[in-house]
Every structure is written in C-alpha cells, then in structure tokens.
Amino acid sequence: MNALLELNDVHVSYRQPGRGRLSAVQGVSLSLDGGRVLGLVGESGCGKSTIAKAVCGLVPVDAGTITFRGEPIRRLGLRRRDPHAMRIQMVFQNPYASLNPRRTVGRQIEDGLRVNPDQSAWTVADLLTGVELEPSWAARYPHQLSGGQRQRIAIARALAAGPDVLIGDEPIASLDASLQATIAQLMRRLALASGAGLLFISHDLSVVRVVADDVAVMSAGRIVEAGPVDRVWAQPQAEYTRRLLAAIPAVDGLGRLPGS
Amino acid sequence: MTGDGGLHIRSLRVVIGRDAGTTILHGIDLDVPRGQVTGLAGESGSGKTITGMSVMGLLPTTARASGQILFEGTDLLTLSARQLNAYRGARIAMVFQDPTASLHPMLSIGGQLTDHYRSHTGASKREAKDRAVEMLTKVQVPEPEIALHKYPHQFSGGQLQRVAIAGALMCGPSVLIADEPTTALDVTVQAELLRLLRGLCDDLGLAVLLITHDLGVMSSLADRIAVMKDGRIVELGDRYQVITAPQDPYTRSLIDALPAADGASAGGRCADGADAARLPGSEGSV
Ligand SMILES: Nc1ncnc2c1ncn2[C@@H]1O[C@H](COP(=O)(O)OP(=O)(O)OP(=O)(O)O)[C@@H](O)[C@H]1O
Ligand SMILES: Nc1ncnc2c1ncn2[C@@H]1O[C@H](COP(=O)(O)OP(=O)(O)OP(=O)(O)O)[C@@H](O)[C@H]1O
Ligand SMILES: [Mg+2]
Ligand SMILES: [Mg+2]
C-alpha cells in the first residue's frame, strides 16, 4: 500500500538575483502515513517551508516525485484548487499570509467547514474554544487580533476543513509554553482522530519532540537524520542534531548565553 | 533619570474601538533603561505588542492612548506624527512580530535598508550600502551582498526575521523594541543574535525592550523581567528572582510548564488526550 504522502528524491531550486539558481531542497525523501505525526526540524533556511510549499503544489519540483494517495501532486495553476488539493491543508509560517484580511475569522472558519467531508464534525464555536478563544471572537477581523491569536485562527481554519494531510509550518512559534502544549495536542488529536497525517515543521526540536512520533532533521537542503523522535532526542546520531540540542538556552535565570 | 536615553512608560492606558471601546492597557508603568534588556512576557493577547506599538505611535486608528511615554525628557504621546517621525526608526526602532510588516513586498531589501538610512543620516549611497552589508552580516543573513538584491518573498521565515532586525539596527537606535524577534530562528542562529543584542547593550548602551514568550530567551538575555496579564503588569523583578521565585500565578504556571531538570532524557510526547502541560518552550539540556 502507498503511504498517504510520499516524497521521493525531491529537488527544488529558486532563481537567485545575479547568481544562477539556489538549490533549496536536494534529494529529500519522506513518507507520512495516516494517523501519524512526522516532525521536520532544522536550521533556518534549510528548506523546510520549501518542502511544505512543494507538497501543496506552490513551487515547482525540479526532480523527484511527490505523491498523495499514490497520485502525483500537480503544480497549482491559475485554476481553482482541485478538490484533491483541498484534502491537503497548510498552516503557513506567517499567519498574516494565511488569513484573508477582509473576512471575519468566523467566516473563514466556515469556509473551511464547508469542504469538510464530515459535515457534523465541528462548529465554529467548537474550533474557537479548541484554540482557547471565546466563540464571540468569530466576529473579529484578522487585524484586530494579537500575533498569537492570529496564529491560532489559522490553525482552526485549517482543521475546519478536515484535511487528510495537515501541514503546520511553525504553527505555534509565537505561543507560550503552556499554550503551545494545548494547541499542539489539539492538532495532533484532531488530525489523528480522522486518520489524517500531520507534518509538523519547526526549528525547535523540543517542540517537535512533544507532538511527533517520528522526526526528520534537515540541514542545508538534505535530511541528515530520521527516526522515532524519542530516539533522536535521547541519542542523536548526526553531529548537526547534537549541535541543535546543545544550543537550546537553559531556563535557569543566570543570564548565560547558550553555546558559550 | 528621564534624560538617560532610556524609555520611561507611565500610566499608559490604551482604549481601542469606537464609543467607549475596549480597554487594552490599564495603566502600565515600565522603565526601559540604557544598557539593559528589559524583558516583557505574558499571555497571548495580554497587550505586549500594543505596548510596543504605543511607543512607536503606531496604534490602530480607533485607539486612544493616555499617560506618558518619556524619552530624553520628551513625552512621545504629545508629539505630532511628523515630530514622531524624527524619532521613529532612527532613535527608537522596533522589530515587529510580523517581520513582513516593516518591509515593502515590491522593493529590494537593499533599497529599503539604504533609503531609510540615508533619509535619516544623510549618508551617501556607498556608505549606506556598506552599512547595510555590515548589519546583514551581523545578524547572520547568508550572502549579504546577494541578499541586498532580493525581495522579501525570496527569504525564508527566519532569514526575513533577521533582515527585519538588521533594518531596525541600521540607524543605530538608542532604544530597540524587539517583539518576539527570534520565533523563527533555530537555536544556533538565535544564540548569535542574543549575543549581538547583549553586545549592543553593553558596548553602546542600547536600551532594549524584549518581548518574548520564550523563557529560554528571557533567561539568557533579560536583565529584568516584567510579566503582563490582561493589560496590566502583574510581576516585575530581576531576571533571577522572576525565574526562580515567581510571585504571580501566570509566571509560575509558565515555569511549571517547563520539564524538570532531567527532562532532557524523558520522552515528553503527549499521549493523545492525556495531559500535555509538559511541552517546553525551551529547556535546559546537554
Ligand atoms: N522565492 C524564493 N526565491 C529565492 N530563494 C528562496 C525563495 N524562497 C526561499 N528561498 C531560499 O531557499 C532556502 C530555503 O528556504 P525555506 O523557506 O524553505 O527555509 P526554511 O527551512 O523554511 O527556513 P526558516 O526556518 O527560516 O523558515 C533559503 O536559503 C531561502 O533564502
Ligand atoms: N485593532 C484592534 N482592535 C481591537 N482589539 C485589538 C486590536 N489589536 C489588538 N487587539 C486586542 O488587544 C489585545 C492585546 O493585543 P496584543 O497584540 O498587544 O497582544 P500580545 O500580548 O502581543 O499577544 P501575542 O503574544 O499573541 O502576540 C488582544 O486581546 C487583541 O485581541
Ligand atoms: Mg520556513
Ligand atoms: Mg504580540
């Protein structure tokens, strides 16, 4: 049987001003099954968002294949997103980019609910409560929200659609520790309850560790280590993963800069 | 005291909305002294960004602010938009929570950094470009010379955050308000940026207001920490005291949400439906 989502030796590059092309993703293979959470971690600029965009058909793939339920993902054209593509939902790294500034957050969550195959799954109020906002917030516009509130609305909107694959690109980066836990857990629970797969992107291994079953560690466009998240956390094999763990600042109140 | 180049916020009250509106800040008092990093933590929606925006004079049009924001003896709240422009981005700069907020999508990074710098300093094109390369290098943007020719959408999330920090530091401000400046940065780059900010405080006497939800960042960099809840400052003290002996329940809950000291080895993943309060914002390990 095919995996829900499969990336096979994927390469993506971008045009660079005056300097040819930049290889952002260089031969990445990943596989995500339904009912699983795969974490993708790595340094800033290593190609995480590029992979997410490629899966959504937002950037062209130079080589390799990406398949969803065994069928290749097509580059999104000017046509409306085909229904197939609606089964993959993404929470963008910048929540300002995910949301329509001219529609209330309630309307935007309703838009998501409308494409959910299980029409009885959720209401707007359920989802708002799930992300720890009052149901009355449905009447607000995105610009009337704080950064963390906006991030939570983007998550509620993506969950509303009941996707088969949910991609969260740094979806909880601007929340505090206890809210991160609540929201990460919500994403995991809702995705898994419907048999969906969750691809959870973060630069922070300590966040991924809590939400993911497996993790892939990326550096400079390549996967340098992959495996069950507990193993990677406790016994990192790659030198890069070890460095990533060593630079996490300690909360000891001593004012020490990490890595010195 | 008020002429020391730092920032002194007194009884700052902000109401947003028509008619009676909603009170977002209920009278904030906060000093952001020279040469120090003043940390501002607090729940999502507690008013951290609005505090920063008040200093910058960038509140929504339906907002009204009262109280005082003193900078070198001047109350910024009394200034006209034009008077404020002389300070904004030059003497007082802000790194916005949304890194795209300070950047025009259709203009190259080089153009944006240098135009702004030249209009505030009168520097030549050459000098401005050198300065931009210097700042981009300092914040660890890869290949700064190429970066000057790129547009905002051609950077990764974390790279754009660093470009925004470079932009805020271009004019050598006396006060820097940094609103969640490292959320998109991996820990290695983050460590370098924390070091840079520390250096600017120690060497040049920069006054930093650091807004962050990340206690690891707070613990490494802040000298003093203020904690907000529902538009009020509920805790204020030295870094060590706030982190090791928090008085306010919200602060305590944040500290308690961190894993125990041996947390590095334990598997912390939340079982579905089970208690997940162990997710660390950042934690001490290795
Ligand atoms: N549209 C683009 N044009 C040119 N280069 C790009 C473009 N988008 C991304 N890049 C470059 O491709 C590389 C990978 O970017 P990507 O956004 O995938 O990184 P990331 O791992 O998500 O990083 P971050 O954690 O900082 O968000 C970076 O060097 C970035 O500068
Ligand atoms: N334009 C606006 N109109 C009405 N309410 C607003 C507006 N902007 C912000 N608010 C509200 O003011 C409160 C404080 O917002 P602020 O952005 O300062 O929060 P914050 O502490 O920065 O939170 P976060 O950590 O999520 O970024 C929030 O409840 C927010 O919803
Ligand atoms: Mg990214
Ligand atoms: Mg904010």
Side-chain angles (χ1 to χ4, degrees), chain B:
Chain B
M1 182 64 200
T2 53
D4 66 353
L7 203 61
H8 304 276
I9 299 175
R10 294 287 172 267
S11 311
L12 176 64
R13 219 179 112 82
V14 170
V15 177
I16 300 186
R18 280 168 239 295
D19 306 320
T22 312
T23 305
I24 307 284
L25 300 182
H26 300 262
I28 302 266
D29 291 295
L30 189 63
D31 290 316
V32 185
R34 250 175 83 82
Q36 281 196 25
V37 176
T38 306
L40 186 57
E43 276 177 339
S44 175
S46 58
K48 306 181 295 293
T49 296
I50 295 287
T51 302
M53 292 297 198
S54 305
V55 175
M56 298 300 285
L58 294 175
L59 289 171
T61 45
T62 60
R64 281 146 290 155
S66 59
Q68 289 184 313
I69 299 176
L70 299 167
F71 174 68
E72 296 184 340
T74 305
D75 179 1
L76 300 179
L77 286 181
T78 63
L79 299 184
S80 68
R82 199 148 62 82
Q83 289 171 311
L84 204 52
N85 262 334
Y87 292 91
R88 202 155 50 194
R91 312 289 312 283
I92 304 176
M94 180 157 173
V95 179
F96 295 96
Q97 189 168 7
D98 170 12
T100 60
S102 56
L103 298 168
H104 192 292
M106 313 289 272
L107 299 175
S108 73
I109 294 303
Q112 302 192 51
L113 294 187
T114 56
D115 284 356
H116 174 69
Y117 182 67
R118 292 182 64 201
S119 77
H120 276 290
T121 61
S124 72
K125 263 199 165 123
R126 178 82 240 164
E127 289 164 343
K129 188 190 160 220
D130 289 347
R131 173 79 180 166
V133 170
E134 180 197 341
M135 294 323 293
L136 290 172
T137 308
K138 276 197 170 145
V139 299
Q140 318 246 323
V141 169
E143 305 185 291
E145 297 272 356
I146 294 179
L148 289 180
H149 299 284
K150 286 192 175 190
Y151 294 84
H153 75 271
Q154 296 178 309
F155 291 91
S156 80
Q159 288 166 351
L160 205 57
Q161 200 161 38
R162 281 170 271 167
V163 168
I165 296 171
L169 294 174
M170 272 298 281
C171 296
S174 316
V175 174
L176 178 72
I177 301 170
D179 193 354
E180 304 281 5
T182 62
T183 48
L185 302 182
D186 58 88
V187 282
T188 37
V189 175
Q190 174 178 286
E192 289 310 312
L193 270 170
L194 299 183
R195 205 160 275 132
L196 170 67
L197 289 180
R198 185 77 260 168
L200 292 172
C201 277
D202 293 348
D203 305 340
L204 304 176
L206 182 68
V208 177
L209 178 61
L210 173 72
I211 300 174
T212 180
H213 70 274
D214 188 328
L215 287 185
V217 170
M218 207 54 120
S219 174
S220 338
L221 194 59
D223 296 297
R224 286 180 324 127
I225 299 175
V227 181
M228 278 182 89
K229 185 169 165 48
D230 296 333
R232 293 187 169 85
I233 289 183
V234 292
E235 176 141 16
L236 176 66
D238 287 341
R239 170 191 62 232
Y240 188 75
Q241 176 215 320
V242 171
I243 286 187
T244 57
Q247 299 301 304
D248 178 75
Y250 170 73
T251 321
R252 216 175 305 137
S253 75
L254 277 187
I255 307 280
D256 290 347
L258 295 167
D262 66 347
S265 56
R269 174 161 28 87
C270 46
D272 302 350
D275 168 50
R278 301 189 52 212
L279 188 132
S282 297
E283 66 189 74
S285 71
V286 187

Side-chain angles (χ1 to χ4, degrees), chain A residues 16 19 43-44 94 96 152 173 175-176 180-181 185 188 203-204 209-210 212 233 244 248-249 252-253 255-256 258, chain B residues 44 143 150 158 162 183 185-187 195 213 219-220 239-240 250 263-264 266 269-270 272 274 276 279 281 283:
Chain A
Q16 279 242 95
R19 252 265 196 127
E43 67 204 339
S44 176
N94 183 342
Y96 303 79
R152 286 179 275 159
L175 307 179
D176 70 42
Q180 278 190 344
Q185 190 201 15
R188 180 178 168 87
H203 61 274
D204 190 345
R209 168 181 164 235
V210 187
W233 178 267
L244 206 58
I248 297 177
D252 52 14
R256 290 186 299 197
Chain B
S44 175
E143 305 185 291
K150 286 192 175 190
R162 281 170 271 167
T183 48
L185 302 182
D186 58 88
V187 282
R195 205 160 275 132
H213 70 274
S219 174
S220 338
R239 170 191 62 232
Y240 188 75
Y250 170 73
R269 174 161 28 87
C270 46
D272 302 350
L279 188 132
E283 66 189 74

Side-chain angles (χ1 to χ4, degrees), chain A residues 50-97:
Chain A
T50 301
I51 288 180
K53 287 179 197 159
V55 169
C56 293
L58 295 171
V59 294
V61 168
D62 296 341
T65 54
I66 305 179
T67 54
F68 170 64
R69 296 195 185 290
E71 284 185 46
I73 301 265
R74 281 186 301 274
R75 175 88 204 277
L76 282 187
L78 292 172
R79 283 180 302 116
R80 270 177 62 87
R81 295 184 75 176
D82 64 78
H84 201 69
M86 295 304 284
R87 303 285 82 234
I88 302 177
Q89 285 285 328
M90 168 141 148
V91 180
F92 287 89
Q93 184 166 13
N94 183 342
Y96 303 79

